[in-house]
Amino acid sequence: MLKVSIGHQFDIVEVDRELARNDLLLTKKAAYCSPFDLKYYGDMKERMKEELAKRIRIPYEYLKTGRELQRLVVPLHVSMDNSWTLNRSIITASLRQMV
């Protein structure tokens, strides 16, 4: 199953109705945004304020870019005659040649 990263704990987000019904609410990864839940989770967020501040939050765009890079196959162009060591400049040049 596809792992979807939509928000962080206690974030209020708007999602597709089908995704909410079939995945997020059923598996208790999310709660419906009722007045009771807003107050309950708002109070819980206040109690956990210090712990939440210590967590590292990676923006969704970075996660998405990382997933795309993991799927990418980059052909490395190096010399078979001269000795070489894989380094940043070889990877950079190979990525530029892909464009």
Side-chain angles (χ1 to χ4, degrees):
M1 177 170 265
L2 177 66
K3 182 177 180 183
V4 178
S5 182
I6 297 170
H8 296 287
Q9 189 174 11
F10 301 114
D11 285 353
I12 298 173
V13 295
E14 190 171 318
V15 296
D16 178 59
R17 180 180 291 185
E18 191 173 318
L19 173 66
R21 185 175 44 243
N22 295 337
D23 182 30
L24 302 175
L25 294 173
L26 267 177
T27 58
K28 301 193 186 226
K29 294 177 187 172
Y32 184 73
C33 190
S34 67
F36 171 80
D37 285 335
L38 284 174
K39 179 167 177 18
Y40 176 77
Y41 289 111
D43 293 343
M44 189 179 293
K45 184 177 183 178
E46 277 299 313
R47 288 194 306 265
M48 297 179 65
K49 194 178 215 174
E50 290 178 20
E51 181 186 334
L52 291 171
K54 293 178 189 175
R55 293 183 187 175
I56 297 173
R57 291 186 169 205
I58 301 171
Y60 178 67
E61 291 78 23
Y62 293 176
L63 294 173
K64 187 175 174 184
T65 302
R67 288 183 195 133
E68 290 172 8
L69 287 173
Q70 286 177 346
R71 287 189 218 112
L72 189 64
V73 176
V74 180
L76 300 176
H77 302 282
V78 294
S79 172
M80 294 300 286
D81 301 326
N82 302 322
S83 63
W84 55 272
T85 304
L86 185 63
N87 58 28
R88 186 178 183 151
S89 63
I90 291 174
I91 295 172
T92 302
S94 298
L95 284 169
R96 286 186 180 149
Q97 288 178 357
M98 289 182 66
V99 176

